[in-house]
Amino acid sequence: MSNIKKIQESLAGAEIDALLLVSPVNRLYATGFHSSDGAVVITRDKAFFITDSRYIEAAEKAVRDARVLLSHTEKRIIQWLQEIIASCGIKALGAEEESLSYSEYLNLEKKLNMKLKPSQSIMKKLRAGKSRQELENIKAAQAIAERAFQDVLGMIRPGVTEREIAAELTYRMLKYGGEGNAFDPIVVAGKKSSMPHGVPGDEVIQKGDFVTMDFGCIKNGYCSDMTRTVAVGSVTGEMRRVYEVVLAAQEAGIAAARAGVTGEEIDAAARKVIEEAGYGRYFGHSFGHSLGLEVHETPSAAPKVRDEMPEGAVISAEPGIYIPGGFGVRIEDILYLTAQGAENITKAPKELIIL
Protein backbone atom coordinates (compact mmCIF):
# COMPACT_ATOMS: atom_id res chain seq x y z
CA MET A 1 0.00 0.00 0.00
CA SER A 2 1.36 3.43 -0.91
CA ASN A 3 1.87 6.05 1.76
CA ILE A 4 -0.79 8.25 0.18
CA LYS A 5 -3.26 5.38 0.57
CA LYS A 6 -2.18 4.98 4.21
CA ILE A 7 -2.82 8.67 4.83
CA GLN A 8 -6.23 8.43 3.17
CA GLU A 9 -7.14 5.52 5.43
CA SER A 10 -6.10 7.62 8.45
CA LEU A 11 -8.39 10.44 7.33
CA ALA A 12 -11.36 8.12 7.68
CA GLY A 13 -11.08 8.33 11.46
CA ALA A 14 -10.12 12.00 11.63
CA GLU A 15 -12.35 15.06 11.85
CA ILE A 16 -10.93 16.59 8.67
CA ASP A 17 -11.79 16.31 4.98
CA ALA A 18 -8.21 16.65 3.76
CA LEU A 19 -4.62 17.03 4.94
CA LEU A 20 -2.21 19.71 3.72
CA LEU A 21 1.49 18.84 3.81
CA VAL A 22 4.09 21.54 3.21
CA SER A 23 7.12 20.30 5.17
CA PRO A 24 9.71 18.67 2.87
CA VAL A 25 9.97 15.52 4.98
CA ASN A 26 6.23 14.83 5.09
CA ARG A 27 5.90 15.59 1.38
CA LEU A 28 8.68 13.10 0.78
CA TYR A 29 6.97 10.49 2.96
CA ALA A 30 3.67 10.93 1.14
CA THR A 31 4.94 11.00 -2.45
CA GLY A 32 8.40 9.45 -2.37
CA PHE A 33 9.66 12.59 -4.12
CA HIS A 34 11.95 15.24 -2.66
CA SER A 35 11.72 18.90 -3.59
CA SER A 36 12.76 22.05 -1.78
CA ASP A 37 9.37 23.65 -2.35
CA GLY A 38 5.83 22.45 -2.89
CA ALA A 39 2.66 21.23 -1.24
CA VAL A 40 0.62 18.04 -1.04
CA VAL A 41 -3.13 17.91 -0.46
CA ILE A 42 -4.66 14.54 0.35
CA THR A 43 -8.42 14.08 0.55
CA ARG A 44 -10.23 10.84 1.38
CA ASP A 45 -10.19 9.79 -2.28
CA LYS A 46 -7.85 12.17 -4.13
CA ALA A 47 -4.32 13.53 -3.84
CA PHE A 48 -2.49 16.47 -5.39
CA PHE A 49 1.22 17.31 -5.51
CA ILE A 50 2.03 20.91 -6.41
CA THR A 51 5.55 21.86 -7.44
CA ASP A 52 7.34 24.32 -9.72
CA SER A 53 9.26 24.09 -13.00
CA ARG A 54 12.47 22.95 -11.30
CA TYR A 55 10.88 19.63 -10.36
CA ILE A 56 7.83 19.19 -12.58
CA GLU A 57 9.36 16.80 -15.13
CA ALA A 58 10.92 14.52 -12.51
CA ALA A 59 7.79 14.66 -10.35
CA GLU A 60 5.54 13.62 -13.23
CA LYS A 61 7.69 10.54 -13.71
CA ALA A 62 8.13 9.64 -10.05
CA VAL A 63 4.93 10.52 -8.17
CA ARG A 64 2.21 7.88 -8.03
CA ASP A 65 -1.33 8.10 -6.61
CA ALA A 66 -1.35 11.91 -6.85
CA ARG A 67 -2.10 14.40 -9.58
CA VAL A 68 0.98 16.54 -10.26
CA LEU A 69 0.28 20.25 -10.71
CA LEU A 70 2.62 23.00 -11.92
CA SER A 71 2.89 26.23 -9.95
CA HIS A 72 4.13 29.31 -11.77
CA THR A 73 3.90 33.10 -11.66
CA GLU A 74 0.33 33.10 -12.95
CA LYS A 75 -0.86 30.35 -10.62
CA ARG A 76 1.13 29.92 -7.47
CA ILE A 77 0.75 27.25 -4.82
CA ILE A 78 -1.79 29.25 -2.84
CA GLN A 79 -4.05 29.63 -5.89
CA TRP A 80 -3.88 25.90 -6.53
CA LEU A 81 -4.79 25.25 -2.89
CA GLN A 82 -7.77 27.58 -3.12
CA GLU A 83 -8.95 25.80 -6.26
CA ILE A 84 -8.54 22.31 -4.76
CA ILE A 85 -10.41 23.30 -1.60
CA ALA A 86 -13.31 24.66 -3.67
CA SER A 87 -13.49 21.83 -6.21
CA CYS A 88 -13.24 19.07 -3.58
CA GLY A 89 -15.65 20.72 -1.17
CA ILE A 90 -13.11 20.75 1.67
CA LYS A 91 -14.60 22.27 4.81
CA ALA A 92 -12.09 21.03 7.38
CA LEU A 93 -8.41 21.09 6.35
CA GLY A 94 -5.71 19.57 8.51
CA ALA A 95 -2.22 21.09 8.68
CA GLU A 96 1.21 20.48 10.24
CA GLU A 97 1.10 22.73 13.28
CA GLU A 98 4.57 21.67 14.45
CA SER A 99 6.30 22.07 11.09
CA LEU A 100 4.89 25.52 10.35
CA SER A 101 5.88 28.64 12.23
CA TYR A 102 3.09 30.53 13.96
CA SER A 103 3.17 33.28 11.31
CA GLU A 104 3.11 30.74 8.46
CA TYR A 105 0.13 28.98 10.02
CA LEU A 106 -1.79 32.24 10.44
CA ASN A 107 -0.85 33.37 6.92
CA LEU A 108 -2.22 30.15 5.42
CA GLU A 109 -5.47 30.54 7.34
CA LYS A 110 -5.79 34.10 6.07
CA LYS A 111 -5.08 33.27 2.43
CA LEU A 112 -7.27 30.16 2.41
CA ASN A 113 -10.00 31.96 4.36
CA MET A 114 -10.52 29.05 6.73
CA LYS A 115 -9.39 27.78 10.09
CA LEU A 116 -6.84 24.97 9.86
CA LYS A 117 -7.07 21.88 12.07
CA PRO A 118 -3.85 20.83 13.84
CA SER A 119 -3.22 17.34 12.41
CA GLN A 120 0.50 16.62 12.69
CA SER A 121 -0.33 13.61 14.89
CA ILE A 122 -1.59 11.75 11.80
CA MET A 123 1.84 11.89 10.20
CA LYS A 124 3.68 11.15 13.42
CA LYS A 125 1.68 7.99 13.97
CA LEU A 126 2.14 6.78 10.41
CA ARG A 127 5.87 7.48 10.37
CA ALA A 128 6.48 5.88 13.79
CA GLY A 129 6.17 2.34 12.41
CA LYS A 130 8.46 1.62 9.47
CA SER A 131 7.56 -0.59 6.52
CA ARG A 132 9.96 -3.25 5.29
CA GLN A 133 11.05 -0.96 2.45
CA GLU A 134 11.75 1.86 4.88
CA LEU A 135 13.76 -0.56 7.02
CA GLU A 136 15.79 -1.63 4.00
CA ASN A 137 16.58 2.03 3.26
CA ILE A 138 17.76 2.57 6.84
CA LYS A 139 19.86 -0.60 6.66
CA ALA A 140 21.46 0.66 3.46
CA ALA A 141 22.33 3.97 5.13
CA GLN A 142 23.68 2.13 8.15
CA ALA A 143 25.88 -0.14 6.04
CA ILE A 144 27.46 2.92 4.43
CA ALA A 145 28.19 4.50 7.82
CA GLU A 146 29.75 1.29 9.11
CA ARG A 147 31.96 0.95 6.05
CA ALA A 148 33.20 4.49 6.62
CA PHE A 149 33.84 3.68 10.28
CA GLN A 150 36.01 0.69 9.37
CA ASP A 151 38.10 2.91 7.08
CA VAL A 152 38.52 5.62 9.68
CA LEU A 153 39.73 3.21 12.34
CA GLY A 154 42.97 2.97 10.39
CA MET A 155 43.42 6.74 10.49
CA ILE A 156 42.99 7.40 14.20
CA ARG A 157 46.38 7.93 15.81
CA PRO A 158 48.23 10.51 17.91
CA GLY A 159 48.70 13.75 15.97
CA VAL A 160 45.46 13.55 13.96
CA THR A 161 42.79 16.16 14.77
CA GLU A 162 39.12 15.70 15.56
CA ARG A 163 38.25 17.78 12.51
CA GLU A 164 40.25 15.53 10.21
CA ILE A 165 38.42 12.42 11.43
CA ALA A 166 35.05 14.15 11.01
CA ALA A 167 36.01 15.13 7.47
CA GLU A 168 37.09 11.58 6.63
CA LEU A 169 33.80 10.17 7.90
CA THR A 170 31.85 12.64 5.76
CA TYR A 171 33.97 11.97 2.67
CA ARG A 172 33.81 8.21 2.95
CA MET A 173 30.06 8.08 3.54
CA LEU A 174 29.62 10.14 0.37
CA LYS A 175 32.13 7.96 -1.47
CA TYR A 176 30.22 4.80 -0.57
CA GLY A 177 26.85 6.11 -1.74
CA GLY A 178 25.52 8.37 0.99
CA GLU A 179 23.40 11.33 -0.10
CA GLY A 180 24.75 13.55 2.67
CA ASN A 181 25.24 13.56 6.41
CA ALA A 182 22.21 12.73 8.53
CA PHE A 183 23.65 15.34 10.92
CA ASP A 184 26.99 17.04 11.48
CA PRO A 185 29.41 14.35 12.70
CA ILE A 186 30.51 14.51 16.32
CA VAL A 187 34.16 13.62 16.90
CA VAL A 188 35.55 14.43 20.34
CA ALA A 189 38.75 13.19 21.98
CA GLY A 190 40.32 13.16 25.42
CA LYS A 191 38.61 15.44 27.92
CA LYS A 192 36.22 16.67 25.21
CA SER A 193 34.72 13.18 25.01
CA SER A 194 32.76 14.13 28.14
CA MET A 195 30.69 16.46 25.93
CA PRO A 196 27.86 14.37 24.40
CA HIS A 197 27.40 16.81 21.52
CA GLY A 198 30.85 18.33 21.35
CA VAL A 199 31.90 19.96 18.09
CA PRO A 200 34.96 18.61 16.25
CA GLY A 201 37.83 21.08 16.43
CA ASP A 202 41.56 21.31 15.91
CA GLU A 203 42.29 19.40 19.10
CA VAL A 204 44.96 16.77 18.46
CA ILE A 205 44.34 13.16 19.44
CA GLN A 206 46.85 11.92 21.99
CA LYS A 207 47.91 8.54 23.34
CA GLY A 208 45.61 7.44 26.13
CA ASP A 209 42.57 9.31 24.75
CA PHE A 210 39.09 8.02 24.23
CA VAL A 211 37.73 9.16 20.86
CA THR A 212 33.94 9.24 20.50
CA MET A 213 32.48 9.38 16.99
CA ASP A 214 28.74 9.92 16.40
CA PHE A 215 27.75 10.02 12.73
CA GLY A 216 25.35 8.81 10.06
CA CYS A 217 24.34 9.38 6.48
CA ILE A 218 21.23 9.55 4.30
CA LYS A 219 20.37 6.91 1.71
CA ASN A 220 17.16 6.96 -0.33
CA GLY A 221 16.03 9.75 2.00
CA TYR A 222 16.49 7.67 5.18
CA CYS A 223 18.98 8.24 7.99
CA SER A 224 21.49 6.11 9.80
CA ASP A 225 23.01 6.93 13.18
CA MET A 226 25.78 5.25 15.14
CA THR A 227 28.31 6.02 17.84
CA ARG A 228 31.51 4.25 18.72
CA THR A 229 34.11 5.13 21.34
CA VAL A 230 37.61 3.83 20.75
CA ALA A 231 40.84 4.19 22.70
CA VAL A 232 44.24 5.27 21.42
CA GLY A 233 47.26 3.37 22.71
CA SER A 234 46.04 2.41 26.17
CA VAL A 235 43.26 2.83 28.74
CA THR A 236 43.19 3.22 32.50
CA GLY A 237 41.27 0.85 34.73
CA GLU A 238 38.50 3.41 35.19
CA MET A 239 38.20 3.98 31.44
CA ARG A 240 37.80 0.26 30.85
CA ARG A 241 35.25 -0.06 33.66
CA VAL A 242 33.15 2.84 32.35
CA TYR A 243 33.21 1.37 28.85
CA GLU A 244 32.03 -2.00 30.18
CA VAL A 245 29.23 -0.36 32.19
CA VAL A 246 27.98 1.56 29.14
CA LEU A 247 28.04 -1.59 27.02
CA ALA A 248 26.16 -3.56 29.71
CA ALA A 249 23.59 -0.76 29.97
CA GLN A 250 23.08 -0.76 26.22
CA GLU A 251 22.59 -4.52 26.16
CA ALA A 252 20.06 -4.26 29.01
CA GLY A 253 18.10 -1.64 27.11
CA ILE A 254 18.19 -3.72 23.93
CA ALA A 255 16.92 -6.75 25.84
CA ALA A 256 13.96 -4.70 27.13
CA ALA A 257 13.13 -3.14 23.77
CA ARG A 258 10.18 -4.45 21.79
CA ALA A 259 6.88 -3.22 20.36
CA GLY A 260 4.28 -2.71 23.08
CA VAL A 261 6.80 -1.57 25.71
CA THR A 262 6.94 2.09 26.71
CA GLY A 263 9.90 4.31 26.01
CA GLU A 264 10.21 4.87 29.74
CA GLU A 265 10.59 1.14 30.40
CA ILE A 266 13.33 0.70 27.79
CA ASP A 267 15.25 3.69 29.14
CA ALA A 268 14.87 2.48 32.73
CA ALA A 269 16.40 -0.91 31.96
CA ALA A 270 19.60 0.73 30.73
CA ARG A 271 19.61 3.51 33.32
CA LYS A 272 19.42 1.00 36.16
CA VAL A 273 22.72 -0.57 35.12
CA ILE A 274 24.49 2.79 35.07
CA GLU A 275 22.98 3.90 38.37
CA GLU A 276 23.88 0.67 40.14
CA ALA A 277 27.46 1.07 38.93
CA GLY A 278 27.56 4.50 40.60
CA TYR A 279 27.55 6.62 37.46
CA GLY A 280 23.88 7.65 37.36
CA ARG A 281 24.56 11.38 37.57
CA TYR A 282 26.80 11.15 34.51
CA PHE A 283 24.05 9.86 32.19
CA GLY A 284 22.01 12.93 31.34
CA HIS A 285 20.27 12.13 28.08
CA SER A 286 17.78 9.45 27.08
CA PHE A 287 18.48 5.89 25.95
CA GLY A 288 17.35 6.56 22.41
CA HIS A 289 15.17 8.21 19.81
CA SER A 290 13.27 7.11 16.73
CA LEU A 291 14.74 7.78 13.32
CA GLY A 292 13.75 7.44 9.68
CA LEU A 293 13.38 10.28 7.20
CA GLU A 294 14.66 12.47 10.02
CA VAL A 295 17.42 11.50 12.40
CA HIS A 296 15.25 12.46 15.39
CA GLU A 297 11.64 11.32 15.26
CA THR A 298 9.07 10.09 17.76
CA PRO A 299 8.53 8.16 19.93
CA SER A 300 11.63 8.23 22.11
CA ALA A 301 13.01 5.72 24.59
CA ALA A 302 13.25 8.24 27.38
CA PRO A 303 12.12 8.93 30.97
CA LYS A 304 8.44 9.87 31.27
CA VAL A 305 7.64 8.66 27.73
CA ARG A 306 4.68 6.41 28.46
CA ASP A 307 3.66 5.80 24.86
CA GLU A 308 4.05 2.20 23.76
CA MET A 309 6.51 1.54 20.96
CA PRO A 310 4.62 0.61 17.79
CA GLU A 311 5.34 -2.41 15.66
CA GLY A 312 8.11 -1.50 13.24
CA ALA A 313 9.58 1.35 15.26
CA VAL A 314 13.24 2.07 14.57
CA ILE A 315 15.07 3.51 17.57
CA SER A 316 18.63 4.24 18.59
CA ALA A 317 20.22 2.53 21.59
CA GLU A 318 22.78 4.99 22.91
CA PRO A 319 23.43 5.18 26.64
CA GLY A 320 26.52 7.04 27.77
CA ILE A 321 28.59 8.11 30.75
CA TYR A 322 30.25 11.53 30.67
CA ILE A 323 32.61 12.60 33.46
CA PRO A 324 33.29 16.36 33.22
CA GLY A 325 36.99 17.11 32.97
CA GLY A 326 37.72 13.42 32.53
CA PHE A 327 36.31 11.48 29.60
CA GLY A 328 33.10 10.10 28.16
CA VAL A 329 31.84 6.92 26.53
CA ARG A 330 28.81 6.40 24.28
CA ILE A 331 27.90 3.32 22.24
CA GLU A 332 25.02 3.54 19.78
CA ASP A 333 23.23 0.96 17.65
CA ILE A 334 19.94 1.06 15.71
CA LEU A 335 17.08 -1.30 16.62
CA TYR A 336 14.03 -2.46 14.67
CA LEU A 337 11.22 -3.35 17.07
CA THR A 338 8.70 -6.16 16.74
CA ALA A 339 6.40 -7.77 19.28
CA GLN A 340 9.06 -10.44 19.78
CA GLY A 341 11.94 -8.09 20.53
CA ALA A 342 14.58 -5.93 18.91
CA GLU A 343 16.50 -6.66 15.74
CA ASN A 344 19.85 -4.91 15.96
CA ILE A 345 20.64 -3.67 12.47
CA THR A 346 24.06 -2.30 13.46
CA LYS A 347 26.79 -4.83 12.75
CA ALA A 348 29.94 -2.92 13.74
CA PRO A 349 31.84 -4.45 16.68
CA LYS A 350 31.17 -3.08 20.14
CA GLU A 351 33.97 -4.56 22.22
CA LEU A 352 36.53 -1.98 23.36
CA ILE A 353 38.89 -1.22 20.48
CA ILE A 354 42.36 0.01 21.43
CA LEU A 355 44.19 1.38 18.40
Side-chain angles (χ1 to χ4, degrees), residues 96-143:
E96 306 157 285
E97 74 279 5
E98 294 178 24
S99 299
L100 293 164
S101 69
Y102 183 61
S103 62
E104 288 170 335
Y105 198 90
L106 292 180
N107 189 45
L108 269 174
E109 289 188 324
K110 180 180 179 181
K111 289 185 175 180
L112 297 177
N113 194 30
M114 66 190 307
K115 283 287 185 182
L116 300 175
K117 303 282 187 178
S119 303
Q120 188 114 15
S121 60
I122 293 174
M123 299 304 297
K124 280 187 174 183
K125 185 175 181 179
L126 286 173
R127 287 174 54 192
K130 271 61 178 180
S131 68
R132 271 288 158 184
Q133 183 56 58
E134 289 180 291
L135 177 62
E136 291 306 313
N137 289 333
I138 295 170
K139 285 183 175 181
Q142 183 60 29

Side-chain angles (χ1 to χ4, degrees), residues 39-165:
V40 175
V41 181
I42 301 172
T43 73
R44 295 171 192 263
D45 58 1
K46 296 178 182 178
F48 306 88
F49 176 61
I50 311 165
T51 191
D52 61 36
S53 60
R54 294 171 296 172
Y55 304 104
I56 189 66
E57 185 176 359
E60 287 175 337
K61 293 178 181 178
V63 175
R64 299 290 181 267
D65 298 322
R67 182 183 170 195
V68 178
L69 305 171
L70 174 64
S71 66
H72 47 82
T73 55
E74 300 301 319
K75 196 169 186 178
R76 299 188 183 277
I77 288 177
I78 198 68
Q79 281 81 42
W80 273 118
L81 293 178
Q82 292 166 344
E83 182 176 305
I84 291 167
I85 289 168
S87 64
C88 293
I90 296 170
K91 303 299 181 185
L93 180 62
E96 306 157 285
E97 74 279 5
E98 294 178 24
S99 299
L100 293 164
S101 69
Y102 183 61
S103 62
E104 288 170 335
Y105 198 90
L106 292 180
N107 189 45
L108 269 174
E109 289 188 324
K110 180 180 179 181
K111 289 185 175 180
L112 297 177
N113 194 30
M114 66 190 307
K115 283 287 185 182
L116 300 175
K117 303 282 187 178
S119 303
Q120 188 114 15
S121 60
I122 293 174
M123 299 304 297
K124 280 187 174 183
K125 185 175 181 179
L126 286 173
R127 287 174 54 192
K130 271 61 178 180
S131 68
R132 271 288 158 184
Q133 183 56 58
E134 289 180 291
L135 177 62
E136 291 306 313
N137 289 333
I138 295 170
K139 285 183 175 181
Q142 183 60 29
I144 291 169
E146 293 185 40
R147 189 175 176 187
F149 171 68
Q150 289 299 324
D151 283 0
V152 165
L153 283 179
M155 304 175 185
I156 299 173
R157 63 180 69 90
V160 176
T161 68
E162 296 171 342
R163 195 187 307 276
E164 288 173 317
I165 297 302

Side-chain angles (χ1 to χ4, degrees), residues 334-346:
I334 298 176
L335 312 177
Y336 176 73
L337 305 188
T338 69
Q340 289 69 47
E343 174 191 344
N344 192 332
I345 68 174
T346 306

